Amino acid sequence: LICPANWTIRQAKVKLAQAMQWNYDTRQRWFYGGKLVPDHIALEDSRIPPNHVVQVVICDPSKTSATSS
């Protein structure tokens, strides 16, 4: 995913969701180095070097808490 360095993490999440044709960009959680990357910071301030791997965790809205029997 290629994004301008001045974009926020949130903007990059939207671009990833569009590229993957997902309808839930707000359900993404990005982790780098074992830490959650906040949405409000710019990519250039995130301390994620170019070409490094970011773990993206998606919360599936259809798999919410189990119902009681």
Side-chain angles (χ1 to χ4, degrees), residues 17-32:
Q18 291 169 344
M20 299 301 295
Q21 298 179 349
W22 295 334
N23 294 324
Y24 40 83
D25 57 275
T26 59
R27 298 191 182 273
Q28 295 178 42
R29 300 292 178 263
W30 285 22
F31 293 87
Y32 178 74

Side-chain angles (χ1 to χ4, degrees), residues 9-66:
I9 298 298
R10 173 78 177 114
Q11 288 172 299
K13 286 180 177 182
V14 170
K15 182 173 181 175
L16 177 61
Q18 291 169 344
M20 299 301 295
Q21 298 179 349
W22 295 334
N23 294 324
Y24 40 83
D25 57 275
T26 59
R27 298 191 182 273
Q28 295 178 42
R29 300 292 178 263
W30 285 22
F31 293 87
Y32 178 74
K35 296 183 182 180
L36 180 65
V37 182
D39 284 352
H40 68 278
I41 63 172
L43 289 168
E44 61 196 351
D45 297 330
S46 68
R47 298 184 182 177
I48 301 171
N51 301 316
H52 275 228
V53 174
V54 174
Q55 180 182 18
V56 178
V57 177
I58 306 286
C59 175
D60 185 347
S62 68
K63 307 234 190 258
T64 56
S65 60

